[in-house]
Amino acid sequence: MSPPAVRCERLVHVYATVDEEVTALRSIDLEVAAGETIALLGPSGSGKSTLLWILAGLTRPTAGTVELSGRPLQGLTAKETTNLRLKDVGVVLQTPARNLLPYESAVGNVVFAQRPLRRSGRAKRERAGSLLDAVGLTSVAHRRAGSLSGGEQQRLAIATALANAPGVLLADEPTSQLDHNSAAQVLELLRHTNREFGTTIVTVTHDAAVGAAMDRTITIRDGRIGAEGRAGEEYLVVGRDGTIQLPEAFLGTLPPGSLATAHRTPDGIELRPARIDQP
Ligand code: ADP
Ligand code: MG
């Protein structure tokens, strides 16, 4: 069996600024099988982008390990990490412009992304043309990337990330600036890429259509994995230390900070608010 495309264990990340520390990830365990597609969901500030940057080798975690296809990221040199991103791991960052060469044309960006491949210039331009077509950018192929709209840049970033048919695609909110039709086009390209090339996809998204199209959803709350969705069903995830996050709907019954007792029942466990008599 091939190793998982992505495996991380006990990932912790703390941003230290001059006057404060922000804990963005608090022990994340995650495995994504080769060829699997997952959506990372969760409120703003919950740690999704941090996780994606770490998986892409762009941020070094404060603690914990990341393996891509069985290879520990920590063991790679800076050059090897860059090579990995050039060939094997496509990355779409949350700010579309950050993925692109602004003075290069749209088609030039997708050609440039193929620089590690031994392919003729003509084959590279053909590949670029068909990717631009798939994301609906044929009419702006020769415009400078920097002059495109946010939505066009976002679609170009996806075409660029897929240029080398990477084994893994990491995408941060790839449809956030797109209208309904363009978003549907991008989603179709993701599905096609997964089916055709077996590309593993990890995408941060707030778009319900993208979430529903992935094999699994992982919801992150406050730097922890709070829930997992499969085939429309939402599950709690029991953490390494036994922690679970209660779904928000239950916080009325058991507000944060309240005490509860756990009871075995024939088919599971029941939580009851504790009734404590004040002395
Ligand atoms: P999400 O993508 O889910 O919105 P992020 O991973 O961007 O969340 O952020 C997680 C937390 O880390 C937030 O509290 C955010 O303010 C903080 N954070 C993100 N990037 C930095 C940074 N470069 N320096 C300091 N804090 C940061
Ligand atoms: Mg983010």
Side-chain angles (χ1 to χ4, degrees), residues 48-49 94 172-173 204:
K48 305 177 301 293
S49 293
Q94 196 169 356
D172 203 342
E173 311 208 16
V204 175

Side-chain angles (χ1 to χ4, degrees), residues 145-189:
S147 73
L148 300 178
S149 71
E152 287 166 341
Q153 290 187 352
Q154 195 161 44
R155 285 179 279 161
L156 180 57
I158 291 152
T160 304
L162 292 176
N164 303 336
V168 179
L169 174 71
L170 305 171
D172 203 342
E173 311 208 16
T175 61
S176 61
Q177 303 192 20
L178 304 183
D179 60 37
H180 181 79
N181 285 341
S182 304
Q185 234 171 352
V186 164
L187 183 54
E188 184 44 40
L189 176 62

